[in-house]
Amino acid sequence: MSQPVQQRILKTAIPGPESAKLHQRRTKAFSESFGVTLPVFIESAGGGILVDVDGNHLIDLASGIAVTSVGASHPKVTEAVRKQVERFTHTGFLVTQYESAVQVAERLNALTPGDFEKQTGLFSTGAEAIENVVKISRTYTGRDAIVVLSHAYHGRTLLTMTMTAKNAPYKEGFGPFAPEVYRAPSPYPYRWSGHPDDIAQQAFDQLADQITTQIGAHNVAAIIMEPIQGEGGVIVPPAGYLAKVAEFARENGIVFVADEIQAGLGRTGDMFAVNHEGVVPDLITTAKALAGGLPLSAVTGRADIMSAVPAGGLGGTYSGNPVACAAAVAALDALVEEDLPGRARRIEAIAKPRLQALAGEGSHIGEVRGRGAMLAMEFVEPGTKIPDAAAAKQVANHANSNGVLTLTAGTYGNVIRLLPPLVIGEDLLTDALDVIEAGVGTLA
Ligand SMILES: *Cc1c(COP(=O)(O)O)cnc(C)c1O
């Protein structure tokens, strides 16, 4: 199997007639409660390109939401998957075992920060990893309360949507929510005032005060936060904030968890986003990029915490599926061997200055931010900080209909996120940035 030609090619309008036909069938057959960014249907994908059923080659700045960091058909991953499905597809790791699950655990234990004995548990989805990190932290500490941040995204299951901050569409109508989830304010430098150091201190003081006076530190099992908030709008906390929270957690016997499901595994230019801050969490959750596109998630961290739950307390039918594990071993090897964190830094070096150049005085772009290949533009009404979701949508629509797939995000829906595969070619990236620049140019 060869990768599609790495070039943007438009043969029809986007979506084209074949996609439109399929979308009509989808609308009838498939629950309409699922959204879609761009209603095209994909026939093949790889590198930085998605090929749709009309033969259009779209530049991928989404990676299926930060999943296909190694590309959607990395030769090592597809070969590992092919070999594994020929041997066996499933045994149930709770029933009989296979080496690849152990290999994934060993690799994650080695790649994650922290010079202590570590263990890993494998699951299938990101939300499931978060659910389990809560179960583990509660058992280990004998406490109930979970502290999360505003603008957080942790998933769509009952517990994880409770932990997620944004009401519509994630929570609206789905209550009652899970108890014992508390929310502290997230430091959002663009929307808070003052020096970043002061914002870090203020946000930390509010969290510590809330925990001490309203919950009781001795009741808190875990503090769970994204080191860069993805769905919330690629919010990068001010330097020093995560370290203060980690230290407070340590002093109070609280498990400090970094949800690296979106930011982890090379995306931000380091293997984990906490590494930029020198912060060592007790536990780290990973998923999205872990298995090169197959569903696999993990909780990794301090061995004494990871084995606190009695045997049989964790797991699931598909936990650590062997096909996903084979893919993960290949994807993690590619991540290291091809220095994909280095590629993420290169993407930032190319893209960030170009985006920043669009964000001049009186423009619709209030801020360009992010790290590595996790970048974003926040759209506002010119001269103000009033969120302008319509502007973000207009630029995203322009990009999408010109063959550049982008994602919007943000609590106010006014952020465009760039999450390209880390293997994207520089010519493709430059072409995509030209299209985005033209899209920003359409704003009055
Ligand atoms: C996507 C995401 C999740 C949920 O992962 P799913 O696989 O969709 O359940 C949790 N946390 C973060 C930070 C995410 O980006």
PDB file of all heavy atoms in Angstrom, residues 16 36 50 57 72 131 142 150 153 156 168 226 236 245 296 340 386 393 396 408 443-444:
ATOM      1  N   GLY A  16     -18.145  16.820  -2.653  1.00  0.00           N
ATOM      2  CA  GLY A  16     -18.488  16.515  -4.038  1.00  0.00           C
ATOM      3  C   GLY A  16     -19.733  15.657  -4.132  1.00  0.00           C
ATOM      4  O   GLY A  16     -20.320  15.269  -3.106  1.00  0.00           O
ATOM      5  N   VAL A  36     -20.801  16.507  12.457  1.00  0.00           N
ATOM      6  CA  VAL A  36     -19.675  16.237  11.559  1.00  0.00           C
ATOM      7  C   VAL A  36     -19.066  17.575  11.149  1.00  0.00           C
ATOM      8  O   VAL A  36     -19.777  18.539  10.884  1.00  0.00           O
ATOM      9  CB  VAL A  36     -20.104  15.391  10.335  1.00  0.00           C
ATOM     10  CG1 VAL A  36     -21.122  16.121   9.457  1.00  0.00           C
ATOM     11  CG2 VAL A  36     -18.881  14.991   9.499  1.00  0.00           C
ATOM     12  N   LEU A  50      -6.020  13.472   3.115  1.00  0.00           N
ATOM     13  CA  LEU A  50      -7.223  12.623   3.132  1.00  0.00           C
ATOM     14  C   LEU A  50      -7.771  12.642   1.704  1.00  0.00           C
ATOM     15  O   LEU A  50      -7.949  13.720   1.128  1.00  0.00           O
ATOM     16  CB  LEU A  50      -8.286  13.223   4.061  1.00  0.00           C
ATOM     17  CG  LEU A  50      -7.904  13.454   5.522  1.00  0.00           C
ATOM     18  CD1 LEU A  50      -8.869  14.452   6.172  1.00  0.00           C
ATOM     19  CD2 LEU A  50      -7.932  12.142   6.285  1.00  0.00           C
ATOM     20  N   HIS A  57      -8.093  15.584  -2.884  1.00  0.00           N
ATOM     21  CA  HIS A  57      -7.051  15.384  -1.872  1.00  0.00           C
ATOM     22  C   HIS A  57      -7.106  16.570  -0.914  1.00  0.00           C
ATOM     23  O   HIS A  57      -6.775  17.692  -1.295  1.00  0.00           O
ATOM     24  CB  HIS A  57      -5.670  15.325  -2.516  1.00  0.00           C
ATOM     25  CG  HIS A  57      -5.404  14.043  -3.225  1.00  0.00           C
ATOM     26  ND1 HIS A  57      -4.187  13.400  -3.179  1.00  0.00           N
ATOM     27  CD2 HIS A  57      -6.202  13.270  -3.983  1.00  0.00           C
ATOM     28  CE1 HIS A  57      -4.246  12.290  -3.892  1.00  0.00           C
ATOM     29  NE2 HIS A  57      -5.458  12.179  -4.402  1.00  0.00           N
ATOM     30  N   ALA A  72      -2.330   8.508   8.894  1.00  0.00           N
ATOM     31  CA  ALA A  72      -3.455   7.570   8.993  1.00  0.00           C
ATOM     32  C   ALA A  72      -3.124   6.201   8.404  1.00  0.00           C
ATOM     33  O   ALA A  72      -3.953   5.284   8.475  1.00  0.00           O
ATOM     34  CB  ALA A  72      -4.687   8.156   8.296  1.00  0.00           C
ATOM     35  N   GLU A 131     -12.191   7.687  33.501  1.00  0.00           N
ATOM     36  CA  GLU A 131     -13.035   6.972  34.474  1.00  0.00           C
ATOM     37  C   GLU A 131     -12.153   6.128  35.405  1.00  0.00           C
ATOM     38  O   GLU A 131     -12.368   6.087  36.625  1.00  0.00           O
ATOM     39  CB  GLU A 131     -14.003   6.024  33.740  1.00  0.00           C
ATOM     40  CG  GLU A 131     -15.075   6.713  32.919  1.00  0.00           C
ATOM     41  CD  GLU A 131     -16.394   6.849  33.678  1.00  0.00           C
ATOM     42  OE1 GLU A 131     -16.520   6.280  34.781  1.00  0.00           O
ATOM     43  OE2 GLU A 131     -17.288   7.544  33.155  1.00  0.00           O
ATOM     44  N   GLY A 142      -8.689   6.635  49.466  1.00  0.00           N
ATOM     45  CA  GLY A 142      -9.851   6.472  50.330  1.00  0.00           C
ATOM     46  C   GLY A 142     -10.696   7.736  50.398  1.00  0.00           C
ATOM     47  O   GLY A 142     -11.440   7.962  51.354  1.00  0.00           O
ATOM     48  N   SER A 150     -12.342  24.815  34.923  1.00  0.00           N
ATOM     49  CA  SER A 150     -13.203  25.380  33.895  1.00  0.00           C
ATOM     50  C   SER A 150     -12.496  25.213  32.541  1.00  0.00           C
ATOM     51  O   SER A 150     -11.267  25.069  32.495  1.00  0.00           O
ATOM     52  CB  SER A 150     -13.489  26.863  34.184  1.00  0.00           C
ATOM     53  OG  SER A 150     -12.294  27.559  34.415  1.00  0.00           O
ATOM     54  N   TYR A 153     -12.011  19.511  29.155  1.00  0.00           N
ATOM     55  CA  TYR A 153     -12.709  18.453  28.416  1.00  0.00           C
ATOM     56  C   TYR A 153     -12.098  17.115  28.817  1.00  0.00           C
ATOM     57  O   TYR A 153     -10.891  16.915  28.687  1.00  0.00           O
ATOM     58  CB  TYR A 153     -12.586  18.627  26.894  1.00  0.00           C
ATOM     59  CG  TYR A 153     -13.394  17.571  26.168  1.00  0.00           C
ATOM     60  CD1 TYR A 153     -14.748  17.756  25.912  1.00  0.00           C
ATOM     61  CD2 TYR A 153     -12.816  16.356  25.795  1.00  0.00           C
ATOM     62  CE1 TYR A 153     -15.504  16.778  25.294  1.00  0.00           C
ATOM     63  CE2 TYR A 153     -13.569  15.363  25.174  1.00  0.00           C
ATOM     64  CZ  TYR A 153     -14.912  15.588  24.921  1.00  0.00           C
ATOM     65  OH  TYR A 153     -15.664  14.614  24.327  1.00  0.00           O
ATOM     66  N   ARG A 156     -17.232  12.077  27.313  1.00  0.00           N
ATOM     67  CA  ARG A 156     -18.683  12.154  27.150  1.00  0.00           C
ATOM     68  C   ARG A 156     -19.458  11.102  27.946  1.00  0.00           C
ATOM     69  O   ARG A 156     -20.671  11.009  27.806  1.00  0.00           O
ATOM     70  CB  ARG A 156     -19.041  11.984  25.671  1.00  0.00           C
ATOM     71  CG  ARG A 156     -18.604  13.134  24.755  1.00  0.00           C
ATOM     72  CD  ARG A 156     -19.009  12.781  23.334  1.00  0.00           C
ATOM     73  NE  ARG A 156     -18.598  13.722  22.314  1.00  0.00           N
ATOM     74  CZ  ARG A 156     -19.393  14.684  21.805  1.00  0.00           C
ATOM     75  NH1 ARG A 156     -20.614  14.838  22.241  1.00  0.00           N
ATOM     76  NH2 ARG A 156     -18.954  15.466  20.842  1.00  0.00           N
ATOM     77  N   ALA A 168     -23.431  23.006  26.475  1.00  0.00           N
ATOM     78  CA  ALA A 168     -23.872  22.526  25.169  1.00  0.00           C
ATOM     79  C   ALA A 168     -22.660  22.389  24.264  1.00  0.00           C
ATOM     80  O   ALA A 168     -21.823  23.288  24.223  1.00  0.00           O
ATOM     81  CB  ALA A 168     -24.861  23.528  24.550  1.00  0.00           C
ATOM     82  N   GLU A 226      -5.768  19.036  32.109  1.00  0.00           N
ATOM     83  CA  GLU A 226      -5.049  18.966  30.845  1.00  0.00           C
ATOM     84  C   GLU A 226      -3.903  19.978  30.912  1.00  0.00           C
ATOM     85  O   GLU A 226      -4.153  21.145  31.208  1.00  0.00           O
ATOM     86  CB  GLU A 226      -5.960  19.357  29.682  1.00  0.00           C
ATOM     87  CG  GLU A 226      -7.192  18.497  29.492  1.00  0.00           C
ATOM     88  CD  GLU A 226      -8.267  19.266  28.717  1.00  0.00           C
ATOM     89  OE1 GLU A 226      -8.204  19.261  27.471  1.00  0.00           O
ATOM     90  OE2 GLU A 226      -9.154  19.871  29.342  1.00  0.00           O
ATOM     91  N   VAL A 236      -3.175  27.482  27.013  1.00  0.00           N
ATOM     92  CA  VAL A 236      -1.890  27.110  27.614  1.00  0.00           C
ATOM     93  C   VAL A 236      -1.798  27.806  28.966  1.00  0.00           C
ATOM     94  O   VAL A 236      -1.824  29.040  29.026  1.00  0.00           O
ATOM     95  CB  VAL A 236      -0.711  27.551  26.714  1.00  0.00           C
ATOM     96  CG1 VAL A 236       0.614  27.063  27.279  1.00  0.00           C
ATOM     97  CG2 VAL A 236      -0.913  27.058  25.284  1.00  0.00           C
ATOM     98  N   VAL A 245       0.342  23.558  41.408  1.00  0.00           N
ATOM     99  CA  VAL A 245      -0.754  22.635  41.706  1.00  0.00           C
ATOM    100  C   VAL A 245      -0.186  21.259  42.077  1.00  0.00           C
ATOM    101  O   VAL A 245      -0.646  20.617  43.037  1.00  0.00           O
ATOM    102  CB  VAL A 245      -1.728  22.523  40.510  1.00  0.00           C
ATOM    103  CG1 VAL A 245      -2.817  21.493  40.801  1.00  0.00           C
ATOM    104  CG2 VAL A 245      -2.343  23.883  40.193  1.00  0.00           C
ATOM    105  N   LEU A 296      -7.227   2.780  21.693  1.00  0.00           N
ATOM    106  CA  LEU A 296      -6.461   2.281  22.835  1.00  0.00           C
ATOM    107  C   LEU A 296      -6.201   3.464  23.756  1.00  0.00           C
ATOM    108  O   LEU A 296      -5.912   4.562  23.284  1.00  0.00           O
ATOM    109  CB  LEU A 296      -5.115   1.695  22.367  1.00  0.00           C
ATOM    110  CG  LEU A 296      -4.285   1.008  23.457  1.00  0.00           C
ATOM    111  CD1 LEU A 296      -4.944  -0.297  23.900  1.00  0.00           C
ATOM    112  CD2 LEU A 296      -2.867   0.721  22.964  1.00  0.00           C
ATOM    113  N   LEU A 340       9.314  12.493  16.076  1.00  0.00           N
ATOM    114  CA  LEU A 340       8.108  13.268  15.760  1.00  0.00           C
ATOM    115  C   LEU A 340       7.903  14.471  16.687  1.00  0.00           C
ATOM    116  O   LEU A 340       7.373  15.491  16.237  1.00  0.00           O
ATOM    117  CB  LEU A 340       6.890  12.351  15.697  1.00  0.00           C
ATOM    118  CG  LEU A 340       6.963  11.333  14.535  1.00  0.00           C
ATOM    119  CD1 LEU A 340       5.690  10.530  14.442  1.00  0.00           C
ATOM    120  CD2 LEU A 340       7.266  11.998  13.197  1.00  0.00           C
ATOM    121  N   ILE A 386     -14.276  40.425  22.563  1.00  0.00           N
ATOM    122  CA  ILE A 386     -15.584  39.757  22.459  1.00  0.00           C
ATOM    123  C   ILE A 386     -15.459  38.591  21.480  1.00  0.00           C
ATOM    124  O   ILE A 386     -15.052  38.776  20.334  1.00  0.00           O
ATOM    125  CB  ILE A 386     -16.665  40.753  21.979  1.00  0.00           C
ATOM    126  CG1 ILE A 386     -16.793  41.903  22.984  1.00  0.00           C
ATOM    127  CG2 ILE A 386     -18.001  40.052  21.758  1.00  0.00           C
ATOM    128  CD1 ILE A 386     -17.623  43.086  22.484  1.00  0.00           C
ATOM    129  N   LYS A 393     -15.898  30.457  12.205  1.00  0.00           N
ATOM    130  CA  LYS A 393     -16.634  29.545  11.338  1.00  0.00           C
ATOM    131  C   LYS A 393     -16.408  29.904   9.869  1.00  0.00           C
ATOM    132  O   LYS A 393     -16.208  29.034   9.022  1.00  0.00           O
ATOM    133  CB  LYS A 393     -18.125  29.604  11.680  1.00  0.00           C
ATOM    134  CG  LYS A 393     -18.876  28.390  11.212  1.00  0.00           C
ATOM    135  CD  LYS A 393     -20.248  28.289  11.883  1.00  0.00           C
ATOM    136  CE  LYS A 393     -20.928  26.973  11.592  1.00  0.00           C
ATOM    137  NZ  LYS A 393     -20.164  25.788  11.845  1.00  0.00           N
ATOM    138  N   ALA A 396     -12.941  28.781   8.910  1.00  0.00           N
ATOM    139  CA  ALA A 396     -12.911  27.311   8.835  1.00  0.00           C
ATOM    140  C   ALA A 396     -13.651  26.828   7.593  1.00  0.00           C
ATOM    141  O   ALA A 396     -13.168  25.935   6.885  1.00  0.00           O
ATOM    142  CB  ALA A 396     -13.519  26.704  10.096  1.00  0.00           C
ATOM    143  N   THR A 408     -12.787  23.670  14.619  1.00  0.00           N
ATOM    144  CA  THR A 408     -13.007  24.769  15.553  1.00  0.00           C
ATOM    145  C   THR A 408     -13.043  24.188  16.964  1.00  0.00           C
ATOM    146  O   THR A 408     -13.182  22.985  17.160  1.00  0.00           O
ATOM    147  CB  THR A 408     -14.328  25.520  15.262  1.00  0.00           C
ATOM    148  OG1 THR A 408     -15.378  24.581  15.237  1.00  0.00           O
ATOM    149  CG2 THR A 408     -14.263  26.246  13.936  1.00  0.00           C
ATOM    150  N   LEU A 443     -12.542  38.050   5.899  1.00  0.00           N
ATOM    151  CA  LEU A 443     -13.277  38.708   6.996  1.00  0.00           C
ATOM    152  C   LEU A 443     -13.299  40.209   6.750  1.00  0.00           C
ATOM    153  O   LEU A 443     -12.291  40.808   6.385  1.00  0.00           O
ATOM    154  CB  LEU A 443     -12.590  38.422   8.347  1.00  0.00           C
ATOM    155  CG  LEU A 443     -12.582  36.956   8.784  1.00  0.00           C
ATOM    156  CD1 LEU A 443     -11.703  36.806  10.024  1.00  0.00           C
ATOM    157  CD2 LEU A 443     -13.986  36.449   9.060  1.00  0.00           C
ATOM    158  N   ALA A 444     -14.469  40.781   6.946  1.00  0.00           N
ATOM    159  CA  ALA A 444     -14.603  42.236   6.676  1.00  0.00           C
ATOM    160  C   ALA A 444     -13.805  43.027   7.699  1.00  0.00           C
ATOM    161  O   ALA A 444     -13.676  42.630   8.843  1.00  0.00           O
ATOM    162  CB  ALA A 444     -16.064  42.624   6.725  1.00  0.00           C
TER     163      ALA A 444
END
